[in-house]
Amino acid sequence: MLLAVDVGNTNTVFAIWDGTRFLATWRTSTEHQRTADQYYVWLSTLMNLKGIDAEITDMIVSSTVPRVVFNLRVLADRYFGTRPIVVGKPDCALPVDVRVDAGTQVGPDRLVNTVGSYDLYGGDLIVVDFGTATTFDVVDHDGAYVGGVIAPGVNLSLQALHEAAAALPHVDISRPQAVVGTNTVACMQSGIFWGYVGVVREICQRIKAERERPMKIISTGGLAPLFQQSEALFDEFRDDLTMHGLTVIHRHNTNQG
């Protein structure tokens, strides 16, 4: 049984993969102080509640927060008797090439999304991930990662507005009833929502023009459905894209071994 872990700047996702499907997926806030023992108590409790009693024999980790990795390694060794595969480390092989400037370090989440999307949809893709940052990853015809775009995340932009302007409240993101707001909250929601619709559409159009070929746009991340329902900005939405990519990378490394 494989335990796949995706550590983001805001949340960490754990998923149990039995080789054919995910038996369960859980999300917790990312905290680098959390110990291996705390992870195990939390995870084993949730597994018991879900009725999962199978033994975890393998573990793979993708982390944008390096300080978290140590305790996850301890978790794997102490409680599961295994050595985790960590995406981005030299001993973790990828089934696709990475074609960027020499010396550039690509976020492991972006590599995992590239692998997952290529496995599901083939090449010539733009992967839009609505996380702490909104990222656009370009997947070549052969699955290679060839670069992308990083923009501020939706919630990060809302937080910046609230913190930098004393008179502006903190608001939740939603599609406004009208473009022109008649109160402060509606004005902020309109600016964020339609602003990001414009960001996604413009960046994707420019990537397609620069690449000079048709490209499929894949979205993932918590806020992707909100934008998809309103504007049909994406060709496909895949909530578990990152977790799927982790299973593909694990399979690739297992077969290599």
Side-chain angles (χ1 to χ4, degrees):
M1 199 76 69
L2 172 67
L3 174 61
V5 185
D6 173 39
V7 183
N9 289 296
T10 304
N11 293 312
T12 299
V13 179
F14 289 73
I16 306 291
W17 173 256
D18 71 354
T20 58
R21 64 188 180 96
F22 289 109
L23 299 181
T25 301
W26 302 286
R27 184 181 301 266
T28 185
S29 58
T30 299
E31 296 179 9
H32 70 270
Q33 304 97 330
R34 188 169 287 147
T35 68
D37 300 329
Q38 289 174 314
Y39 277 122
Y40 181 72
V41 170
W42 174 81
L43 182 62
S44 59
T45 300
L46 290 173
M47 290 177 66
N48 287 335
L49 289 172
K50 193 73 173 178
I52 299 172
D53 58 2
E55 180 183 359
I56 292 174
T57 58
D58 297 87
M59 184 169 165
I60 185 168
V61 177
S62 168
S63 178
T64 59
V65 185
R67 289 187 293 176
V68 172
V69 175
F70 174 77
N71 283 323
L72 289 173
R73 286 186 182 274
V74 175
L75 170 70
D77 177 65
R78 180 179 298 168
Y79 291 103
F80 306 131
T82 187
R83 184 171 182 268
I85 298 169
V86 180
V87 180
K89 298 299 182 183
D91 59 348
C92 177
L94 296 177
V96 300
D97 289 334
V98 180
R99 302 188 191 122
V100 295
D101 295 342
T104 300
Q105 188 171 9
V106 181
D109 54 331
R110 307 181 77 181
L111 298 176
V112 174
N113 282 347
T114 296
V115 171
S117 60
Y118 179 64
D119 182 70
L120 290 167
Y121 305 108
D124 288 325
L125 307 174
I126 303 169
V127 182
V128 185
D129 189 347
F130 289 87
T132 304
T134 300
T135 58
F136 300 74
D137 296 317
V138 180
V139 182
D140 211 346
H141 65 94
D142 60 352
Y145 175 85
V146 294
V149 177
I150 302 176
V154 176
N155 287 318
L156 193 63
S157 296
L158 281 169
Q159 182 180 343
L161 272 177
H162 171 60
E163 292 180 355
L168 296 181
H170 178 77
V171 300
D172 294 325
I173 179 64
S174 64
R175 181 181 181 179
Q177 296 296 315
V179 176
V180 179
T182 55
N183 58 69
T184 302
V185 170
C187 289
M188 293 174 66
Q189 288 177 331
S190 183
I192 292 293
F193 181 85
W194 294 113
Y196 269 86
V197 167
V199 165
V200 172
R201 179 179 288 122
E202 182 69 13
I203 289 177
C204 289
Q205 286 178 350
R206 287 184 176 273
I207 290 173
K208 288 180 178 180
E210 191 170 280
R211 300 287 294 170
E212 297 182 328
R213 68 189 69 176
M215 302 187 75
K216 182 176 287 188
I217 304 173
I218 313 300
S219 71
T220 190
L223 290 175
L226 171 66
F227 291 94
Q228 170 69 3
Q229 292 171 7
S230 303
E231 286 298 300
L233 295 171
F234 316 112
D235 297 300
E236 300 283 349
F237 164 71
R238 184 81 183 211
D239 181 53
D240 64 348
L241 181 64
T242 305
M243 307 313 289
H244 177 76
L246 285 173
T247 68
V248 175
I249 294 173
H250 174 264
R251 182 173 68 241
H252 179 73
N253 282 267
T254 301
N255 291 341
Q256 291 255 334

